[in-house]
């Protein structure tokens, strides 16, 4: 058993700035193999900007229309929201494949080949990152259709998960749920009197967000690892709002653990680059995670490397009374070219191997 305050292990959130899954897996294993319990595929291809490809997928369904006449381009994607066509009920919509299962199975074949060849250590699991249904619905569905469309999208995403579970051996699989819009909702609710944008379609934002995510966690069988990445966004490597401290992250995580029927394998939460003060981490003293749940702090930043990570680790150790591992605060698929290997090296420099 590691001692309190031990810094052990590294976690890759998901998005990594290589062009293909094989490069991602090979390089991650080469530089961080003994530090990682699981390796993702880097969210390559149309997943390069997290959920931004989902409107194009959803819009293929009969009965779905785009909001606005002018495309909102992002490379090969159109970011316009979607809505129910006039007179169409969401329950009658049959969504096409959302792309997550197809991508996972394609990358799994690469992972399996590399692991059997010895390029990825045996025992390392293949990590699949999925968004919470709330994230997609709240980001890209017209406000008036969100409540009605949510169960349709949630069922479609559950079908994607089931395809993954049916195809990949459970003892070699890990599922990560990414929760970002949840914190846009929570932070906006706190500043509602200032006219913040409303994303949610339900009351009681703390209960509504945490119970919805717990429902996704419980879709993952006990013999598959499951983790959660708590996120404050990563557009142009910036948060949508900088967390004042870790209090909301801690409160949400505790609600999530209480609401889920199965235990979390790991929890990841972000640490802004400028927060090397102990006050940011103080609320984590109240984090009620089981001992078996790995905790990863996203305190590695490419701009200040080992020195900055070491400062933030020292601040965290004043309040985090349990072992924890290190990570970046979000994925780095949109970071400048050539930054991945230095980031891997920083993880390795500041944390012990497993």
């Amino acid at each position: 058993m590691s001692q309190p305050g031990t810094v052990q292990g590294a976690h890759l959130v998901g998005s990594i700035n290589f062009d293909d899954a094989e490069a991602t897996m090979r390089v991650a294993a080469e530089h961080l193999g003994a530090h990682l319990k699981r390796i993702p595929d880097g969210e390559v291809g149309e997943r390069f900007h997290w959920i931004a490809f989902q409107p194009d997928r959803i819009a293929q369904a009969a009965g779905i229309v785009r909001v606005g006449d002018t495309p909102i381009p992002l490379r090969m994607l159109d970011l316009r929201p979607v809505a129910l066509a006039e007179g169409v009920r969401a329950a009658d919509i049959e969504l096409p494949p959302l792309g997550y299962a197809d991508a996972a199975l394609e990358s799994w074949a690469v992972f399996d080949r590399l692991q059997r060849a010895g390029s990825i250590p045996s025992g390392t699991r293949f990590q699949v990152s999925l968004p919470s249904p709330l994230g997609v619905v709240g980001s890209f569905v017209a406000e008036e259709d969100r409540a009605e469309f949510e169960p349709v999208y949630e069922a479609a995403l559950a079908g994607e998960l089931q395809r993954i579970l049916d195809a990949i051996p459970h003892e070699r699989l890990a599922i990560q749920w990414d929760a970002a819009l949840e914190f846009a909702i929570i932070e906006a609710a706190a500043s509602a009197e200032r006219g913040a944008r409303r994303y949610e379609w339900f009351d009681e934002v703390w209960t509504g967000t945490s119970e919805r995510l717990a429902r996704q966690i419980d879709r993952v069988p006990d013999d598959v690892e499951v983790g959660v990445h708590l996120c404050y966004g990563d557009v142009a490597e910036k948060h949508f709002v900088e967390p004042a401290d870790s209090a909301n992250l801690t409160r949400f995580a505790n609600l999530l653990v209480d609401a889920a029927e199965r235990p979390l394998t790991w929890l990841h939460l972000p640490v802004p680059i400028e927060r090397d003060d102990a006050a940011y981490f103080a609320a984590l003293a109240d984090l009620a995670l089981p001992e078996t749940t790995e905790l990863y702090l996203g305190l590695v930043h490419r701009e200040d490397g080992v020195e900055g990570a070491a400062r933030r680790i020292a601040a965290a150790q004043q309040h985090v009374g349990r072992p924890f591992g290190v990570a970046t605060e979000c994925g780095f698929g949109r970071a400048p070219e050539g930054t991945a290997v230095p980031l891997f090296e920083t993880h390795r420099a500041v944390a012990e191997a497993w």
Side-chain angles (χ1 to χ4, degrees):
M1 177 69 68
S2 298
Q3 296 300 309
T6 298
V7 182
Q8 184 176 32
H11 179 67
L12 299 177
V13 174
S15 177
I16 300 171
N17 61 346
F18 289 107
D19 290 335
D20 60 76
E22 180 159 351
T24 299
M25 296 171 187
R26 282 188 180 276
V27 179
E30 177 185 353
H31 291 271
L32 279 174
H35 287 70
L36 297 173
K37 289 193 172 183
R38 49 200 76 89
I39 293 178
D41 71 353
E43 298 179 11
V44 295
E46 65 180 351
R47 294 170 294 144
F48 75 96
H49 210 290
W50 193 41
I51 59 175
F53 74 105
Q54 284 298 280
D56 284 338
R57 290 279 182 159
I58 296 169
Q60 295 173 24
I64 295 291
V65 296
R66 301 306 284 262
V67 177
D69 297 327
T70 304
I72 303 173
L74 178 64
R75 285 171 52 181
M76 77 289 278
L77 306 176
D78 180 356
L79 301 185
R80 281 181 298 167
V82 298
L84 296 174
E86 186 175 354
V88 173
R89 299 264 54 90
D92 296 327
I93 297 289
E94 184 175 346
L95 290 177
L98 301 178
Y100 289 106
D102 288 340
L105 300 190
E106 181 179 345
S107 294
W108 160 250
V110 177
F111 181 95
D112 183 47
R113 171 169 53 80
L114 292 176
Q115 193 168 54
R116 292 181 187 281
S119 298
I120 294 174
S122 62
T124 304
R125 293 193 182 217
F126 175 60
Q127 177 182 318
V128 176
S129 298
L130 298 172
S132 67
L134 178 150
V136 174
V137 174
S139 297
F140 292 119
V141 175
E143 183 175 357
E144 64 273 16
D145 293 331
R146 288 172 189 163
E148 185 178 352
F149 191 75
E150 179 187 19
V152 176
Y153 185 83
E154 183 172 348
L157 190 60
E160 299 278 311
L161 173 63
Q162 191 60 53
R163 282 187 59 203
I164 294 166
L165 294 171
D166 289 345
I168 300 175
H170 288 194
E171 71 277 7
R172 300 175 68 190
L173 178 62
I175 301 293
Q176 175 175 281
W177 294 103
D178 296 337
L181 195 72
E182 286 80 354
F183 286 91
I185 289 171
I186 287 165
E187 295 289 349
S191 59
E193 68 278 6
R194 298 196 295 271
R197 177 180 175 185
R198 181 180 172 92
Y199 296 93
E200 72 275 15
W201 53 97
F202 47 86
D203 297 323
E204 299 295 337
V205 297
W206 286 98
T207 302
T209 53
S210 59
E211 289 187 351
R212 279 170 166 81
L213 187 56
R215 194 159 66 229
Q216 311 318 312
I217 291 168
D218 288 339
R219 293 187 189 280
V220 181
D222 288 343
D223 56 352
V224 175
E225 292 186 339
V226 67
V228 169
H229 157 49
L230 303 184
C231 184
Y232 271 77
D234 181 46
V235 176
E237 297 186 279
K238 295 290 185 181
H239 289 156
F240 47 71
V241 61
E242 292 298 341
D245 51 37
S246 58
N248 283 347
L249 292 159
T250 298
R251 180 180 176 184
F252 184 85
N254 288 344
L255 287 170
L256 193 61
V257 168
D258 285 343
E261 294 183 4
R262 64 151 295 171
L264 276 179
T265 311
W266 77 90
L267 172 73
H268 167 276
L269 54 86
V271 180
I273 189 170
E274 63 274 8
R275 301 307 298 268
D276 56 7
D277 56 303
Y280 178 82
F281 301 93
L284 294 180
D286 297 323
L287 189 61
L289 292 181
E291 285 188 15
T292 55
T293 300
E294 301 160 25
L295 173 65
Y296 294 95
L297 302 183
L299 47 73
V300 172
H301 292 265
R302 65 178 179 81
E303 295 89 345
D304 61 7
V306 173
E307 189 271 335
R311 289 199 317 270
R312 289 181 282 276
I313 286 170
Q317 287 172 324
Q318 297 182 49
H319 292 290
V320 182
R322 53 164 293 156
F324 60 88
V326 300
T328 51
E329 65 181 350
C330 194
F332 48 93
R334 297 171 294 282
E337 186 177 355
T339 55
V341 169
L343 277 167
F344 291 162
E345 294 302 314
T346 299
H347 287 73
R348 193 171 70 182
V350 299
E352 298 178 12
W354 290 107

